[in-house]
Amino acid sequence: EELSEVVEFLHGRLHSGHISVRVEENLPVVFGDRQRIFEVLQNLIDNAAKFMGDQPNPRIDIGQNGEADSRPVFFVRDNGMGISPEYNNEIFGLFNKLNSQTEGTGIGLALVKRIVEFHGGRIWVESEVGKGSTFFFTLPPGKVPHGDRES
């Protein structure tokens, strides 16, 4: 539900870039600060859209890829310009912008890392220049609500 809200929120950028977004069904529920997790997804999807380059069929996939430390591993994968492997850790640094020509402050990924780590998770990237990037992150599993619970 949050994910569709994030995609809706970024509709303008995604639509103007003709980017198709595919979200896996039945993603696990996670436990965390809703607003902060929204920011994580917003930043990752927005970044993917921003660094598409001249990809003729831009696409972002969002889903789950197994577990790590008994937490679901989520991913945001794009087929954009990609990142040189030597920068894979640097991009999470505060105000570390790889490309000074792009819009934004460079604060996005540093914030994303802080939020994920605050929730006890971790985040990492796998990428190759010209072959897109996949950001992986873990978050604590949420409790599935049972019937009508008292508020």
Side-chain angles (χ1 to χ4, degrees):
E1 160 194 333
E2 274 81 359
L3 207 42
S4 53
E5 283 177 38
V6 175
V7 172
E8 187 58 37
F9 183 77
L10 294 171
H11 176 80
R13 180 190 285 285
L14 296 168
H15 186 71
S16 67
H18 306 289
I19 300 165
S20 69
V21 177
R22 193 180 65 85
V23 179
E24 271 181 21
E25 294 191 10
N26 305 320
L27 289 174
V29 176
V30 295
F31 176 77
D33 179 324
R34 195 167 183 274
Q35 183 58 41
R36 296 287 169 258
I37 291 172
F38 185 98
E39 285 175 27
V40 165
L41 293 163
Q42 179 192 332
N43 267 292
L44 291 176
I45 295 166
D46 193 46
N47 262 359
K50 199 187 303 181
F51 296 105
M52 268 305 163
D54 50 13
Q55 166 60 253
N57 299 302
R59 184 175 157 155
I60 298 171
D61 292 311
I62 303 159
Q64 184 201 0
N65 185 3
E67 291 197 340
D69 321 316
S70 53
R71 288 157 188 247
V73 176
F74 297 97
F75 65 82
V76 174
R77 175 188 303 126
D78 65 68
N79 61 353
M81 44 211 293
I83 306 159
S84 257
E86 65 264 29
Y87 296 119
N88 283 359
N89 290 325
E90 265 182 53
I91 58 169
F92 295 105
L94 197 55
F95 302 117
N96 230 338
K97 290 185 62 171
L98 295 182
N99 180 351
S100 56
Q101 308 305 308
T102 56
E103 57 189 286
T105 56
I107 201 167
L109 289 175
L111 182 65
V112 163
K113 184 175 196 288
R114 281 229 321 258
I115 294 169
V116 169
E117 289 177 351
F118 176 80
H119 284 84
R122 59 194 182 90
I123 184 165
W124 66 100
V125 63
E126 289 175 11
S127 183
E128 254 184 89
V129 174
K131 297 200 173 155
S133 305
T134 305
F135 284 85
F136 295 95
F137 60 98
T138 61
L139 287 170
K143 308 280 176 276
V144 178
H146 295 289
D148 289 326
R149 55 177 200 259
E150 297 169 29
S151 42

